[in-house]
Amino acid sequence: GRASEEISCVYNLEVRIGGPADPSGSIVSGDPAQIVERLLGFVELGFVGMNFILPGPGGSEQRKRLAIEVLPLLRSAARAIQVDPGND
């Protein structure tokens, strides 16, 4: 087998910024702070990367909001726990 340091845990997940949080939990959704809180949970579990799937209409706007409103907050919070999912 491979050495554990050769393996990266990367999570594929659907994200929807704005509107109410998804009650089923299958889509990471809500306001930027709610989304960061959920994503930080994956970082704390050891995921070092995430592939974001932006379902529904408004993909361009969702990408922009993810880049401006979510990822900087996530990186800052991840650094506080000594992990940075955006710089692997």
Side-chain angles (χ1 to χ4, degrees), residues 1-82:
R2 290 187 281 170
S4 61
E5 61 272 1
E6 294 178 3
I7 300 171
S8 296
C9 294
V10 178
Y11 197 62
N12 297 317
L13 57 138
E14 293 185 358
V15 175
R16 187 79 186 153
I17 304 163
D22 177 30
S24 73
S26 64
I27 297 175
V28 176
S29 61
D31 65 45
Q34 291 172 310
I35 291 171
V36 168
E37 184 177 333
R38 289 271 319 271
L39 297 177
L40 194 56
F42 296 117
V43 172
E44 290 170 340
L45 288 172
F47 288 93
V48 296
M50 297 174 201
N51 293 318
F52 299 111
I53 302 161
L54 304 171
S60 178
E61 180 67 22
Q62 288 291 303
R63 281 189 295 281
K64 183 187 295 185
R65 291 189 71 189
L66 183 68
I68 294 170
E69 299 175 37
V70 175
L71 294 181
L73 293 175
L74 178 61
R75 286 187 180 113
S76 177
R79 281 188 193 102
I81 60 170
Q82 309 286 346

